[in-house]
Tab-separated table of all heavy atoms in Angstrom:
chain	number	residue	atom	x	y	z
A	20	ASN	N	-12.799	-4.749	1.888
A	20	ASN	CA	-12.513	-6.198	1.796
A	20	ASN	C	-13.237	-6.924	2.887
A	20	ASN	O	-13.665	-8.057	2.676
A	20	ASN	CB	-11.046	-6.485	1.947
A	20	ASN	CG	-10.280	-6.068	0.651
A	20	ASN	OD1	-10.884	-6.085	-0.402
A	20	ASN	ND2	-8.988	-5.771	0.776
A	23	ARG	N	-17.472	-7.500	2.263
A	23	ARG	CA	-18.050	-8.068	1.075
A	23	ARG	C	-18.913	-9.278	1.376
A	23	ARG	O	-18.460	-10.304	1.874
A	23	ARG	CB	-16.876	-8.539	0.146
A	23	ARG	CG	-16.123	-7.381	-0.508
A	23	ARG	CD	-15.183	-7.835	-1.540
A	23	ARG	NE	-14.495	-6.730	-2.133
A	23	ARG	CZ	-13.383	-6.842	-2.838
A	23	ARG	NH1	-12.811	-8.044	-3.052
A	23	ARG	NH2	-12.818	-5.808	-3.313
A	24	GLU	N	-20.176	-9.154	1.142
A	24	GLU	CA	-21.191	-10.166	1.421
A	24	GLU	C	-20.899	-11.385	0.568
A	24	GLU	O	-21.099	-12.518	1.029
A	24	GLU	CB	-22.571	-9.621	1.153
A	24	GLU	CG	-23.076	-8.756	2.258
A	24	GLU	CD	-23.240	-9.477	3.574
A	24	GLU	OE1	-23.704	-10.549	3.605
A	24	GLU	OE2	-22.920	-8.817	4.584
A	25	GLU	N	-20.504	-11.204	-0.695
A	25	GLU	CA	-20.345	-12.409	-1.540
A	25	GLU	C	-19.220	-13.306	-1.081
A	25	GLU	O	-19.314	-14.523	-1.208
A	25	GLU	CB	-20.135	-12.041	-3.032
A	25	GLU	CG	-18.863	-11.166	-3.293
A	25	GLU	CD	-19.100	-9.727	-3.198
A	25	GLU	OE1	-20.234	-9.243	-2.791
A	25	GLU	OE2	-18.211	-8.942	-3.496
A	26	ASP	N	-18.232	-12.672	-0.371
A	26	ASP	CA	-17.140	-13.530	0.146
A	26	ASP	C	-17.680	-14.396	1.276
A	26	ASP	O	-17.366	-15.545	1.368
A	26	ASP	CB	-15.963	-12.685	0.639
A	26	ASP	CG	-15.085	-12.163	-0.460
A	26	ASP	OD1	-15.306	-12.578	-1.601
A	26	ASP	OD2	-14.269	-11.262	-0.169
A	27	VAL	N	-18.466	-13.822	2.118
A	27	VAL	CA	-19.016	-14.572	3.277
A	27	VAL	C	-19.944	-15.697	2.735
A	27	VAL	O	-19.913	-16.777	3.198
A	27	VAL	CB	-19.726	-13.570	4.244
A	27	VAL	CG1	-20.412	-14.362	5.356
A	27	VAL	CG2	-18.690	-12.616	4.804
A	28	ASP	N	-20.822	-15.272	1.855
A	28	ASP	CA	-21.761	-16.273	1.276
A	28	ASP	C	-20.969	-17.435	0.603
A	28	ASP	O	-21.302	-18.592	0.753
A	28	ASP	CB	-22.757	-15.646	0.297
A	28	ASP	CG	-23.744	-14.703	0.919
A	28	ASP	OD1	-23.945	-14.893	2.187
A	28	ASP	OD2	-24.316	-13.873	0.254
A	29	TYR	N	-19.990	-17.097	-0.110
A	29	TYR	CA	-19.221	-18.115	-0.830
A	29	TYR	C	-18.551	-19.066	0.180
A	29	TYR	O	-18.561	-20.239	0.063
A	29	TYR	CB	-18.195	-17.478	-1.706
A	29	TYR	CG	-17.328	-18.497	-2.457
A	29	TYR	CD1	-17.882	-19.190	-3.532
A	29	TYR	CD2	-16.002	-18.694	-2.102
A	29	TYR	CE1	-17.099	-20.160	-4.166
A	29	TYR	CE2	-15.219	-19.630	-2.758
A	29	TYR	CZ	-15.799	-20.397	-3.798
A	29	TYR	OH	-15.072	-21.307	-4.427
A	30	ASN	N	-18.015	-18.509	1.259
A	30	ASN	CA	-17.334	-19.375	2.231
A	30	ASN	C	-18.389	-20.254	2.946
A	30	ASN	O	-18.100	-21.362	3.210
A	30	ASN	CB	-16.599	-18.449	3.211
A	30	ASN	CG	-15.368	-17.796	2.601
A	30	ASN	OD1	-14.880	-18.420	1.611
A	30	ASN	ND2	-14.916	-16.726	3.100
A	31	ARG	N	-19.501	-19.678	3.340
A	31	ARG	CA	-20.546	-20.539	3.956
A	31	ARG	C	-21.018	-21.623	3.069
A	31	ARG	O	-21.158	-22.713	3.455
A	31	ARG	CB	-21.730	-19.614	4.296
A	31	ARG	CG	-21.569	-18.917	5.655
A	31	ARG	CD	-22.904	-18.342	6.068
A	31	ARG	NE	-22.610	-17.134	6.871
A	31	ARG	CZ	-23.221	-15.979	6.751
A	31	ARG	NH1	-24.201	-15.840	5.845
A	31	ARG	NH2	-22.904	-14.998	7.527
Side-chain angles (χ1 to χ4, degrees):
N20 287 334
R23 289 191 180 162
E24 284 295 321
E25 63 270 6
D26 284 349
V27 174
D28 289 341
Y29 179 73
N30 288 336
R31 277 192 208 135

